[in-house]
Coordinates of all heavy atoms in Angstrom, one line a residue:
A1 N 16.8 14.1 -20.7 CA 16.0 14.7 -19.7 C 15.4 13.6 -18.8 O 15.0 12.6 -19.4 CB 14.9 15.6 -20.3
P2 N 15.3 13.8 -17.5 CA 14.7 12.8 -16.7 C 13.2 12.5 -17.1 O 12.5 13.4 -17.5 CB 14.8 13.3 -15.3 CG 15.7 14.5 -15.4 CD 15.7 14.9 -16.8
E3 N 12.8 11.3 -16.9 CA 11.4 11.0 -17.1 C 10.6 11.5 -15.9 O 11.1 11.8 -14.8 CB 11.2 9.4 -17.2 CG 11.8 8.9 -18.5 CD 11.6 7.4 -18.6 OE1 10.5 6.9 -18.2 OE2 12.5 6.7 -19.1
K4 N 9.3 11.6 -16.1 CA 8.4 12.1 -15.0 C 8.5 11.3 -13.7 O 8.6 11.9 -12.6 CB 6.9 12.1 -15.5 CG 6.0 12.8 -14.6 CD 6.2 14.3 -14.5 CE 5.2 14.9 -13.6 NZ 5.5 16.2 -13.2
W5 N 8.5 10.0 -13.8 CA 8.6 9.2 -12.6 C 9.9 9.5 -11.8 O 10.0 9.5 -10.6 CB 8.5 7.7 -12.8 CG 9.6 7.0 -13.5 CD1 9.8 6.9 -14.9 CD2 10.8 6.4 -12.9 NE1 11.0 6.2 -15.1 CE2 11.6 5.9 -13.9 CE3 11.2 6.3 -11.6 CZ2 12.8 5.3 -13.7 CZ3 12.4 5.6 -11.3 CH2 13.2 5.1 -12.4
Q6 N 11.0 9.8 -12.6 CA 12.3 10.0 -11.9 C 12.2 11.4 -11.2 O 12.8 11.5 -10.1 CB 13.4 10.0 -13.0 CG 13.7 8.7 -13.5 CD 14.7 8.7 -14.7 OE1 14.7 9.6 -15.5 NE2 15.5 7.6 -14.7
E7 N 11.6 12.4 -11.8 CA 11.5 13.7 -11.1 C 10.7 13.5 -9.9 O 11.0 14.1 -8.8 CB 10.8 14.7 -12.1 CG 11.6 15.1 -13.3 CD 10.8 16.0 -14.2 OE1 9.7 16.4 -13.9 OE2 11.4 16.2 -15.3
C8 N 9.6 12.7 -9.9 CA 8.7 12.5 -8.8 C 9.5 11.8 -7.6 O 9.4 12.2 -6.5 CB 7.6 11.6 -9.2 SG 6.0 12.2 -8.7
I9 N 10.3 10.8 -8.0 CA 11.0 10.0 -7.0 C 12.1 10.9 -6.4 O 12.3 11.0 -5.1 CB 11.7 8.8 -7.6 CG1 10.6 7.8 -8.0 CG2 12.7 8.2 -6.6 CD1 9.8 7.2 -6.9
A10 N 12.8 11.7 -7.2 CA 13.8 12.6 -6.7 C 13.3 13.6 -5.7 O 13.8 13.9 -4.6 CB 14.5 13.3 -7.8
E11 N 12.1 14.2 -6.0 CA 11.5 15.2 -5.2 C 11.1 14.5 -3.8 O 11.2 15.1 -2.8 CB 10.3 15.8 -5.8 CG 10.6 16.8 -7.0 CD 9.4 17.3 -7.7 OE1 8.3 17.1 -7.2 OE2 9.6 17.8 -8.8
S12 N 10.5 13.3 -4.0 CA 10.1 12.6 -2.8 C 11.2 12.2 -1.9 O 11.2 12.3 -0.6 CB 9.3 11.3 -3.1 OG 8.1 11.6 -3.8
M13 N 12.4 11.8 -2.4 CA 13.6 11.5 -1.7 C 14.0 12.7 -0.8 O 14.4 12.6 0.3 CB 14.7 11.1 -2.6 CG 14.6 9.7 -3.1 SD 16.1 9.4 -4.2 CE 15.8 7.7 -4.6
N14 N 14.0 13.9 -1.4 CA 14.4 15.1 -0.7 C 13.4 15.4 0.4 O 13.8 15.9 1.5 CB 14.5 16.3 -1.7 CG 15.6 16.1 -2.7 OD1 16.6 15.5 -2.4 ND2 15.5 16.7 -3.8
A15 N 12.1 15.2 0.2 CA 11.1 15.6 1.2 C 10.9 14.6 2.3 O 10.5 15.0 3.4 CB 9.8 15.8 0.5
C16 N 11.2 13.3 2.1 CA 10.9 12.3 3.1 C 11.9 12.3 4.2 O 13.1 12.5 4.1 CB 10.9 10.9 2.4 SG 9.6 10.7 1.3
R17 N 11.4 11.9 5.4 CA 12.2 11.6 6.6 C 12.9 10.3 6.5 O 14.0 10.1 7.0 CB 11.5 11.8 7.9 CG 11.0 13.2 8.1 CD 10.3 13.4 9.4 NE 11.2 13.0 10.5 CZ 10.7 12.7 11.7 NH1 9.5 12.8 12.0 NH2 11.6 12.4 12.7
F18 N 12.2 9.3 5.9 CA 12.7 7.9 5.8 C 12.3 7.5 4.4 O 11.3 7.8 3.8 CB 12.0 7.0 6.8 CG 12.3 7.3 8.2 CD1 11.4 8.0 8.9 CD2 13.5 7.0 8.8 CE1 11.6 8.3 10.3 CE2 13.8 7.3 10.1 CZ 12.9 8.0 10.8
I19 N 13.2 6.6 3.8 CA 13.0 6.0 2.5 C 13.0 4.5 2.7 O 14.0 4.0 3.2 CB 14.0 6.5 1.5 CG1 14.0 8.0 1.3 CG2 13.9 5.8 0.2 CD1 15.2 8.6 0.6
V20 N 12.0 3.8 2.2 CA 11.9 2.4 2.2 C 11.9 1.9 0.8 O 11.0 2.3 0.0 CB 10.7 1.9 3.0 CG1 10.6 0.3 3.0 CG2 10.7 2.4 4.4
I21 N 12.8 1.0 0.5 CA 12.9 0.4 -0.9 C 12.6 -1.0 -0.8 O 13.1 -1.8 0.0 CB 14.3 0.7 -1.5 CG1 14.5 2.1 -1.7 CG2 14.4 -0.1 -2.8 CD1 15.9 2.4 -2.3
R22 N 11.7 -1.5 -1.7 CA 11.4 -2.9 -1.9 C 12.0 -3.2 -3.3 O 11.3 -3.0 -4.3 CB 9.9 -3.1 -1.8 CG 9.4 -4.4 -2.3 CD 9.8 -5.6 -1.4 NE 9.1 -6.8 -1.7 CZ 9.5 -7.6 -2.7 NH1 10.6 -7.3 -3.4 NH2 8.9 -8.7 -3.0
P23 N 13.3 -3.6 -3.3 CA 13.9 -3.7 -4.6 C 13.5 -4.9 -5.5 O 13.2 -5.9 -5.0 CB 15.4 -3.8 -4.3 CG 15.4 -4.5 -2.9 CD 14.1 -4.0 -2.2
G24 N 13.7 -4.6 -6.8 CA 13.5 -5.7 -7.8 C 14.8 -5.5 -8.7 O 15.4 -4.5 -8.6
L25 N 15.0 -6.5 -9.6 CA 16.2 -6.4 -10.4 C 15.8 -5.6 -11.7 O 15.5 -6.2 -12.8 CB 16.7 -7.8 -10.8 CG 17.3 -8.6 -9.6 CD1 17.6 -10.0 -10.0 CD2 18.5 -7.9 -9.1
T26 N 15.8 -4.3 -11.6 CA 15.4 -3.5 -12.7 C 16.4 -2.3 -12.9 O 17.1 -2.0 -12.0 CB 14.0 -2.8 -12.6 OG1 14.1 -1.9 -11.5 CG2 12.9 -3.9 -12.3
S27 N 16.4 -1.7 -14.1 CA 17.3 -0.5 -14.3 C 16.8 0.6 -13.4 O 17.6 1.5 -13.0 CB 17.3 -0.1 -15.7 OG 16.0 0.2 -16.2
G28 N 15.5 0.7 -13.1 CA 15.0 1.7 -12.2 C 15.6 1.7 -10.8 O 15.9 2.7 -10.2
L29 N 15.8 0.4 -10.3 CA 16.5 0.3 -9.0 C 17.9 0.9 -9.0 O 18.2 1.6 -8.1 CB 16.6 -1.2 -8.6 CG 17.4 -1.5 -7.4 CD1 16.7 -0.9 -6.2 CD2 17.6 -3.0 -7.2
L30 N 18.6 0.6 -10.1 CA 20.0 1.2 -10.2 C 19.9 2.7 -10.2 O 20.7 3.4 -9.5 CB 20.7 0.7 -11.4 CG 20.9 -0.8 -11.4 CD1 21.6 -1.2 -12.7 CD2 21.7 -1.3 -10.2
W31 N 19.0 3.3 -10.9 CA 18.8 4.8 -10.9 C 18.5 5.3 -9.5 O 19.1 6.2 -9.0 CB 17.7 5.2 -11.9 CG 17.5 6.6 -11.9 CD1 18.2 7.6 -12.7 CD2 16.6 7.4 -11.1 NE1 17.8 8.8 -12.4 CE2 16.8 8.8 -11.4 CE3 15.7 7.1 -10.1 CZ2 16.1 9.8 -10.8 CZ3 15.0 8.1 -9.5 CH2 15.2 9.4 -9.9
E32 N 17.6 4.6 -8.8 CA 17.2 5.0 -7.5 C 18.4 4.9 -6.5 O 18.6 5.8 -5.7 CB 16.0 4.1 -7.0 CG 14.7 4.4 -7.7 CD 13.7 3.4 -7.3 OE1 13.9 2.5 -6.4 OE2 12.6 3.4 -8.0
I33 N 19.2 3.9 -6.6 CA 20.3 3.7 -5.7 C 21.3 4.8 -6.0 O 21.9 5.4 -5.1 CB 21.0 2.3 -5.9 CG1 20.0 1.2 -5.4 CG2 22.3 2.3 -5.1 CD1 19.6 1.3 -3.9
D34 N 21.6 5.1 -7.3 CA 22.5 6.2 -7.6 C 22.0 7.5 -7.1 O 22.8 8.3 -6.6 CB 22.6 6.3 -9.2 CG 23.4 5.1 -9.7 OD1 24.2 4.5 -9.0 OD2 23.4 4.9 -11.0
Q35 N 20.7 7.7 -7.1 CA 20.1 9.0 -6.6 C 20.3 9.1 -5.1 O 20.6 10.1 -4.5 CB 18.6 9.1 -6.9 CG 18.4 9.3 -8.4 CD 19.1 10.6 -8.9 OE1 18.9 11.7 -8.4 NE2 19.9 10.4 -9.9
L36 N 20.1 7.9 -4.4 CA 20.3 7.9 -2.9 C 21.8 8.3 -2.6 O 22.0 9.0 -1.6 CB 20.0 6.5 -2.4 CG 18.5 6.1 -2.4 CD1 18.4 4.6 -2.0 CD2 17.7 7.0 -1.4
I37 N 22.7 7.8 -3.4 CA 24.1 8.1 -3.1 C 24.4 9.6 -3.5 O 24.9 10.3 -2.6 CB 25.0 7.2 -4.0 CG1 24.9 5.7 -3.6 CG2 26.5 7.7 -4.0 CD1 25.4 4.7 -4.5
T38 N 24.0 10.0 -4.6 CA 24.2 11.4 -5.1 C 23.6 12.4 -4.2 O 24.2 13.4 -3.8 CB 23.7 11.6 -6.5 OG1 24.3 10.6 -7.4 CG2 23.9 13.0 -7.0
R39 N 22.4 12.1 -3.7 CA 21.6 13.1 -2.9 C 21.9 12.9 -1.4 O 21.3 13.5 -0.5 CB 20.1 13.0 -3.1 CG 19.8 13.4 -4.6 CD 18.3 13.0 -4.9 NE 18.0 13.3 -6.3 CZ 17.7 14.5 -6.7 NH1 17.6 15.5 -5.9 NH2 17.4 14.7 -8.0
E40 N 22.8 11.9 -1.1 CA 23.2 11.6 0.3 C 22.1 11.3 1.2 O 21.9 11.8 2.3 CB 24.0 12.8 0.9 CG 25.3 13.1 0.1 CD 26.1 14.2 0.6 OE1 25.7 14.9 1.5 OE2 27.2 14.4 0.1
H41 N 21.2 10.3 0.7 CA 20.1 9.9 1.5 C 20.2 8.5 2.1 O 19.2 7.9 2.6 CB 18.8 9.9 0.6 CG 18.4 11.3 0.2 ND1 18.4 12.4 1.1 CD2 17.9 11.8 -0.9 CE1 18.0 13.5 0.5 NE2 17.7 13.1 -0.8
L42 N 21.4 7.9 2.0 CA 21.6 6.5 2.5 C 21.3 6.4 3.9 O 20.7 5.4 4.4 CB 23.0 6.0 2.2 CG 23.3 5.7 0.7 CD1 24.7 5.3 0.6 CD2 22.4 4.7 0.1
S43 N 21.6 7.4 4.7 CA 21.4 7.3 6.1 C 19.9 7.2 6.5 O 19.6 6.8 7.7 CB 22.0 8.5 6.9 OG 21.4 9.7 6.5
K44 N 19.0 7.6 5.7 CA 17.6 7.5 6.0 C 16.9 6.5 5.1 O 15.6 6.5 5.0 CB 16.9 8.9 5.8 CG 16.9 9.5 4.4 CD 16.1 10.8 4.4 CE 16.0 11.4 3.0 NZ 15.2 12.7 3.1
T45 N 17.6 5.5 4.6 CA 17.1 4.5 3.7 C 17.1 3.1 4.4 O 18.1 2.7 5.0 CB 17.9 4.5 2.4 OG1 17.9 5.8 1.8 CG2 17.3 3.4 1.4
I46 N 16.0 2.4 4.2 CA 15.8 1.0 4.6 C 15.5 0.2 3.4 O 14.6 0.6 2.6 CB 14.7 0.9 5.7 CG1 15.0 1.7 6.9 CG2 14.5 -0.6 6.0 CD1 13.8 1.9 7.8
I47 N 16.2 -0.9 3.2 CA 15.9 -1.7 2.0 C 15.4 -3.0 2.6 O 16.0 -3.7 3.4 CB 17.2 -2.0 1.3 CG1 17.8 -0.7 0.8 CG2 17.0 -3.0 0.1 CD1 19.2 -0.8 0.1
C48 N 14.1 -3.4 2.1 CA 13.4 -4.5 2.6 C 13.2 -5.6 1.5 O 12.9 -5.2 0.4 CB 12.0 -4.1 3.1 SG 12.1 -3.0 4.5
F49 N 13.3 -6.8 1.9 CA 13.0 -7.9 1.0 C 11.8 -8.7 1.6 O 11.6 -8.7 2.8 CB 14.2 -8.8 0.9 CG 15.4 -8.2 0.3 CD1 16.4 -7.6 1.2 CD2 15.6 -8.0 -1.0 CE1 17.5 -7.0 0.6 CE2 16.7 -7.4 -1.6 CZ 17.7 -6.9 -0.7
D50 N 11.1 -9.3 0.7 CA 9.9 -10.1 1.1 C 10.2 -11.6 1.1 O 10.4 -12.2 0.0 CB 8.7 -9.8 0.2 CG 7.5 -10.4 0.6 OD1 7.5 -11.5 1.3 OD2 6.4 -9.9 0.2
E51 N 10.3 -12.2 2.3 CA 10.6 -13.6 2.4 C 9.7 -14.5 1.6 O 10.0 -15.5 1.1 CB 10.6 -14.1 3.9 CG 11.6 -13.6 4.7 CD 11.6 -14.2 6.1 OE1 10.7 -15.1 6.3 OE2 12.4 -13.8 6.9
E52 N 8.4 -14.1 1.6 CA 7.4 -14.9 0.9 C 7.5 -14.9 -0.6 O 7.3 -15.9 -1.3 CB 6.0 -14.4 1.3 CG 5.7 -14.5 2.8 CD 5.7 -15.9 3.3 OE1 5.2 -16.8 2.6 OE2 6.3 -16.1 4.4
E53 N 7.9 -13.7 -1.2 CA 8.0 -13.6 -2.6 C 9.4 -13.7 -3.2 O 9.5 -14.1 -4.3 CB 7.4 -12.2 -3.0 CG 5.9 -12.1 -2.7 CD 5.4 -10.7 -3.2 OE1 6.0 -10.1 -4.1 OE2 4.4 -10.3 -2.7
D54 N 10.4 -13.4 -2.4 CA 11.8 -13.4 -3.0 C 12.5 -14.7 -2.5 O 12.6 -15.0 -1.4 CB 12.5 -12.2 -2.4 CG 11.9 -10.9 -2.9 OD1 11.3 -10.9 -4.0 OD2 12.1 -9.9 -2.2
S55 N 13.0 -15.4 -3.5 CA 13.8 -16.6 -3.2 C 15.1 -16.2 -2.6 O 15.6 -15.0 -2.8 CB 14.1 -17.4 -4.5 OG 14.9 -16.7 -5.4
E56 N 15.8 -17.1 -1.9 CA 17.1 -16.8 -1.3 C 18.1 -16.3 -2.4 O 18.8 -15.4 -2.2 CB 17.6 -18.0 -0.6 CG 18.9 -17.8 0.2 CD 18.7 -16.9 1.4 OE1 17.6 -16.8 2.0 OE2 19.7 -16.2 1.7
K57 N 18.0 -17.0 -3.6 CA 18.9 -16.7 -4.7 C 18.7 -15.2 -5.2 O 19.6 -14.5 -5.4 CB 18.8 -17.7 -5.8 CG 19.7 -17.4 -7.0 CD 19.5 -18.4 -8.1 CE 20.4 -18.0 -9.3 NZ 20.2 -18.9 -10.4
K58 N 17.4 -14.9 -5.3 CA 17.1 -13.5 -5.8 C 17.5 -12.5 -4.8 O 18.1 -11.4 -5.1 CB 15.6 -13.4 -6.0 CG 15.1 -12.0 -6.5 CD 13.6 -12.0 -6.7 CE 13.2 -10.6 -7.1 NZ 11.8 -10.5 -7.2
V59 N 17.3 -12.7 -3.5 CA 17.8 -11.8 -2.4 C 19.3 -11.6 -2.5 O 19.8 -10.5 -2.4 CB 17.3 -12.3 -1.0 CG1 18.0 -11.5 0.1 CG2 15.8 -12.2 -0.9
Q60 N 20.0 -12.7 -2.6 CA 21.5 -12.7 -2.6 C 21.9 -11.9 -3.9 O 22.9 -11.1 -3.8 CB 22.1 -14.0 -2.6 CG 21.9 -14.7 -1.2 CD 22.4 -13.9 -0.1 OE1 23.5 -13.3 -0.1 NE2 21.6 -13.8 1.0
E61 N 21.3 -12.1 -5.0 CA 21.6 -11.4 -6.2 C 21.4 -9.9 -6.0 O 22.2 -9.1 -6.4 CB 20.8 -11.9 -7.4 CG 21.2 -13.2 -8.0 CD 20.2 -13.7 -9.1 OE1 19.3 -12.9 -9.5 OE2 20.4 -14.8 -9.5
M62 N 20.3 -9.5 -5.4 CA 20.0 -8.1 -5.2 C 20.9 -7.5 -4.2 O 21.4 -6.4 -4.4 CB 18.5 -7.9 -4.8 CG 17.5 -8.1 -5.9 SD 15.8 -7.6 -5.4 CE 15.3 -9.1 -4.6
I63 N 21.3 -8.2 -3.1 CA 22.2 -7.7 -2.2 C 23.6 -7.5 -2.8 O 24.2 -6.5 -2.6 CB 22.3 -8.6 -0.9 CG1 21.0 -8.5 -0.1 CG2 23.5 -8.3 -0.1 CD1 20.9 -9.5 1.0
G64 N 24.0 -8.5 -3.7 CA 25.3 -8.3 -4.4 C 25.3 -7.1 -5.3 O 26.2 -6.3 -5.3
L65 N 24.2 -6.9 -6.0 CA 24.1 -5.8 -6.9 C 24.1 -4.5 -6.2 O 24.8 -3.5 -6.5 CB 22.8 -5.9 -7.7 CG 22.5 -4.7 -8.7 CD1 23.5 -4.7 -9.8 CD2 21.1 -4.9 -9.3
L66 N 23.3 -4.4 -5.1 CA 23.3 -3.2 -4.3 C 24.7 -2.9 -3.6 O 25.1 -1.8 -3.6 CB 22.2 -3.3 -3.2 CG 20.8 -3.4 -3.7 CD1 19.8 -3.7 -2.6 CD2 20.4 -2.0 -4.4
N67 N 25.3 -4.0 -3.1 CA 26.6 -3.8 -2.5 C 27.6 -3.3 -3.5 O 28.5 -2.5 -3.2 CB 27.1 -5.0 -1.8 CG 26.8 -5.0 -0.3 OD1 26.8 -3.9 0.3 ND2 26.6 -6.1 0.3
E68 N 27.5 -3.8 -4.7 CA 28.5 -3.4 -5.8 C 28.3 -1.9 -6.0 O 29.3 -1.2 -6.1 CB 28.1 -4.2 -7.0 CG 29.1 -4.0 -8.2 CD 28.6 -4.9 -9.3 OE1 28.7 -6.1 -9.2 OE2 28.3 -4.3 -10.4
R69 N 27.1 -1.5 -6.1 CA 26.8 -0.1 -6.3 C 27.1 0.8 -5.1 O 27.6 1.9 -5.3 CB 25.3 0.1 -6.6 CG 24.8 1.1 -7.5 CD 25.5 1.1 -8.8 NE 24.7 1.7 -9.8 CZ 24.8 1.4 -11.1 NH1 25.6 0.5 -11.5 NH2 24.1 2.0 -12.0
L70 N 27.0 0.3 -3.9 CA 27.2 1.0 -2.7 C 28.6 0.8 -2.1 O 28.8 1.3 -1.0 CB 26.1 0.7 -1.6 CG 24.7 1.0 -2.0 CD1 23.7 0.4 -1.0 CD2 24.5 2.5 -2.2
G71 N 29.4 0.0 -2.7 CA 30.7 -0.2 -2.2 C 30.7 -1.0 -0.8 O 31.5 -0.7 0.1
G72 N 29.9 -1.9 -0.7 CA 29.8 -2.8 0.5 C 29.1 -2.1 1.7 O 29.2 -2.6 2.8
Y73 N 28.3 -1.1 1.4 CA 27.6 -0.4 2.5 C 26.5 -1.2 3.2 O 26.2 -1.0 4.3 CB 27.0 0.9 1.8 CG 26.4 1.8 2.8 CD1 27.2 2.8 3.3 CD2 25.0 1.8 3.1 CE1 26.6 3.8 4.2 CE2 24.5 2.8 4.0 CZ 25.3 3.7 4.5 OH 24.8 4.6 5.4
I74 N 25.9 -2.2 2.5 CA 24.8 -2.9 3.1 C 25.3 -4.0 4.0 O 26.1 -4.8 3.7 CB 23.9 -3.6 2.0 CG1 23.3 -2.5 1.2 CG2 22.9 -4.5 2.6 CD1 22.4 -3.0 0.0
A75 N 24.6 -4.0 5.2 CA 24.8 -5.1 6.2 C 23.6 -5.9 6.0 O 22.5 -5.5 6.4 CB 25.0 -4.5 7.6
A76 N 23.7 -7.1 5.5 CA 22.5 -8.0 5.3 C 22.1 -8.6 6.6 O 23.0 -9.2 7.3 CB 22.8 -9.1 4.3
R77 N 20.9 -8.5 6.9 CA 20.4 -9.1 8.2 C 19.0 -9.6 7.9 O 18.1 -8.9 7.3 CB 20.3 -8.1 9.2 CG 19.8 -8.6 10.6 CD 19.9 -7.5 11.6 NE 18.9 -7.7 12.5 CZ 18.9 -7.1 13.7 NH1 19.9 -6.3 14.1 NH2 18.0 -7.3 14.6
G78 N 18.7 -10.9 8.2 CA 17.4 -11.4 7.9 C 16.9 -12.3 9.0 O 17.5 -12.5 10.0
T79 N 15.7 -12.9 8.7 CA 15.0 -13.7 9.7 C 15.0 -15.2 9.2 O 14.4 -16.0 9.9 CB 13.6 -13.2 9.9 OG1 12.9 -13.2 8.7 CG2 13.6 -11.8 10.5
R80 N 15.6 -15.5 8.0 CA 15.5 -16.9 7.6 C 16.3 -17.8 8.4 O 17.4 -17.4 8.9 CB 15.9 -16.9 6.1 CG 15.0 -16.2 5.2 CD 15.4 -16.4 3.8 NE 14.5 -15.6 3.0 CZ 14.2 -15.8 1.7 NH1 14.8 -16.9 1.1 NH2 13.5 -15.0 1.0
D81 N 15.9 -19.0 8.5 CA 16.7 -20.0 9.3 C 17.9 -20.5 8.4 O 17.9 -20.6 7.3 CB 15.8 -21.2 9.6 CG 14.7 -20.8 10.6 OD1 14.9 -19.8 11.4 OD2 13.6 -21.4 10.5

């Protein structure tokens, strides 16, 4: 059975006009991405990274993980030099 936080997130995904994700390398992220795919919410989803907190290596790892899950759906665009 889903945990309470998962039920809350799933309900919110359905109700929201836009979804913004600030990803971390956790199993919760993978569940959220799977839900976005299953519930067909990718078109209203924005994935943001924090330049100040996330190293370039961490961002690339997360983009790789997300692209693996999404089949290359993510177009990476950033502001770093």
Side-chain angles (χ1 to χ4, degrees):
E3 293 183 35
K4 185 67 176 166
W5 72 268
Q6 291 173 324
E7 291 174 11
C8 230
I9 295 294
E11 289 173 15
S12 295
M13 284 181 177
N14 291 333
C16 292
R17 290 183 61 196
F18 299 100
I19 299 168
V20 178
I21 294 180
R22 166 68 172 85
L25 294 173
T26 67
S27 60
L29 172 65
L30 298 179
W31 178 88
E32 290 170 7
I33 296 300
D34 288 342
Q35 292 302 304
L36 290 170
I37 295 167
T38 301
R39 296 170 183 276
E40 300 181 353
H41 292 318
L42 289 176
S43 64
K44 65 178 185 178
T45 302
I46 300 168
I47 301 172
C48 298
F49 298 96
D50 185 334
E51 291 186 1
E52 300 296 318
E53 292 184 24
D54 298 331
S55 69
E56 185 70 26
K57 181 180 177 186
K58 181 180 175 184
V59 169
Q60 292 305 315
E61 286 175 6
M62 286 189 277
I63 289 172
L65 178 66
L66 293 169
N67 262 329
E68 186 178 298
R69 213 49 158 211
L70 298 173
Y73 188 86
I74 292 179
R77 183 175 149 160
T79 58
R80 292 185 188 207
D81 296 330

